[in-house]
Amino acid sequence: MDLNNISLGEDETELNGGGVAYDLIFENIYYSGKDNNLQLIIDYGDMNFTKRRLVHTLSQCEIYEPEPDDNNNSPDDDDDHDSSSSKPDIPPPTPNIIVSTYDYGGGNVTAAGNFTLTMTLMNTSKRVNVDNVVMKLSVPEAFTLTSSSNTFYIERIAKRSSVERTVNLSVKPNADAISHPIKVSFTYESVINDERKQFSAEQDISIPVSQLDRFSLNPVEMPSEIYVGEDSSIEATFVNKGKSTVYNVTAEITGNLSQPGQRQFIGNVESGKEESADFLIGALEAGTISGEVVISYEDANMNVNELRSPFTTTAVSFEMPAPDPGLDVMNPDDIGEAPPEPWYQKIPVWGWTTGGVTAIILLSFAAKAMRRHRELKLLEDSDEDF
């Protein structure tokens, strides 16, 4: 179409207020200019009327940017040193599709939860479009696609242009607290030098997962009272109800105690395990004793957290009870004479020894006499039998 000389007689429309109006329709136009301004110059063919220049900006046009060659020369530059009359046609670089940006809500996605993944897909080529694009997602075992399949179709992505695609995913409750890769693969086509060619591309994106923090500290049981100067033992128990291990667990007790600075390093606590820490509490003076048991730890994503359990008890002084004024105090002068000693307490030790020996001798003689009497009795019985 020759835009420099257009006959508008057939499209002329007379206006009621005078003058004429024309409809200009351009079809199948290939834009190759260096700006996006359309200029319309009206020449009346009469010296008495000056030419009119109308300028309209076409926002749909993409400005042509020629790529330099290996010598950093523009393809439109004249090369006076080139002895050849023509140059070979070099095909443009292979177009690529990349995930230029992606968003899943920021931070970490939580196990047993849902999240939305938004991806920006970009055609990196400055010279050719890509079409018939098929995108496929390969999700890890920890994720599940919801409300969609893992394959998406995109009709066309213009050169240096982008499109967005959104998918909904859910995280399994037992997902490990690590970064999980999602593989994004593309197959697409592009027309280069009047020939349609097929291409493919692949890219990984990572989604970090965090497990629910279910590490808990049980309430500390305290005695209602403690005595000044005496130490009492208390126990703090904590359990990991989550799916992942907690690390570098440390137990500490604070407060107005007589043993400040008590601290214990527990280490790692695996899922489903319970641990405990023992502390001594004491007081230097009577009054209210208050403080906290503090458990610090790191989760699977190395975030430092704390658990606190406050406590309160009362310290009392230990004193001897005062005598009851209703009881009479015994006067030494009122104490009577002691009762006489029994007769056997008056016998000296040597007397008990001599008497014991005498009794043994007498018992020995008595035993011999009884044996002699039995022997004689047996002899008499024998004589009678004969």
Side-chain angles (χ1 to χ4, degrees), residues 14 27 37-38 52 83 108 125 129 138-139 158 200 215 249-250 279 305 321 375 377:
E14 294 185 0
E27 296 179 351
N37 294 325
L38 175 63
R52 298 191 62 185
S83 59
N108 300 328
S125 176
N129 305 322
S138 298
V139 299
S200 62
F215 189 57
V249 179
T250 302
F279 299 100
N305 302 300
E375 291 174 356
K377 181 66 175 174

Side-chain angles (χ1 to χ4, degrees), residues 229-287:
E230 292 186 359
D231 294 335
S232 298
S233 177
I234 64 170
E235 182 182 42
T237 59
F238 33 90
V239 60
N240 181 11
K241 300 178 182 179
K243 298 292 185 180
S244 58
T245 303
V246 293
Y247 303 90
N248 298 326
V249 179
T250 302
E252 183 179 5
I253 189 170
T254 63
N256 55 335
L257 308 173
S258 60
Q259 311 90 345
Q262 297 180 66
R263 184 181 180 91
Q264 299 180 34
F265 179 73
I266 308 300
N268 302 336
V269 180
E270 297 179 355
S271 172
K273 298 294 184 179
E274 182 180 274
E275 295 289 347
S276 63
D278 296 325
F279 299 100
L280 294 176
I281 59 171
L284 299 177
E285 58 183 11

Side-chain angles (χ1 to χ4, degrees), residues 38-44 50-56:
L38 175 63
Q39 297 187 32
L40 179 62
I41 302 175
I42 301 176
D43 187 358
Y44 296 95
T50 59
K51 295 181 180 180
R52 298 191 62 185
R53 182 187 301 270
L54 304 177
V55 180
H56 180 71

Side-chain angles (χ1 to χ4, degrees), residues 78-92:
D78 294 333
D79 190 357
D80 297 336
H81 303 286
D82 189 0
S83 59
S84 62
S85 59
S86 63
K87 296 182 180 179
D89 292 334
I90 300 177

Side-chain angles (χ1 to χ4, degrees), residues 189-210:
E189 299 176 353
S190 184
V191 177
I192 299 177
N193 292 341
D194 298 329
E195 181 181 357
R196 180 171 292 275
K197 297 184 178 181
Q198 294 182 342
F199 303 94
S200 62
E202 191 174 272
Q203 185 176 348
D204 287 344
I205 59 178
S206 296
I207 309 295
V209 173
S210 63

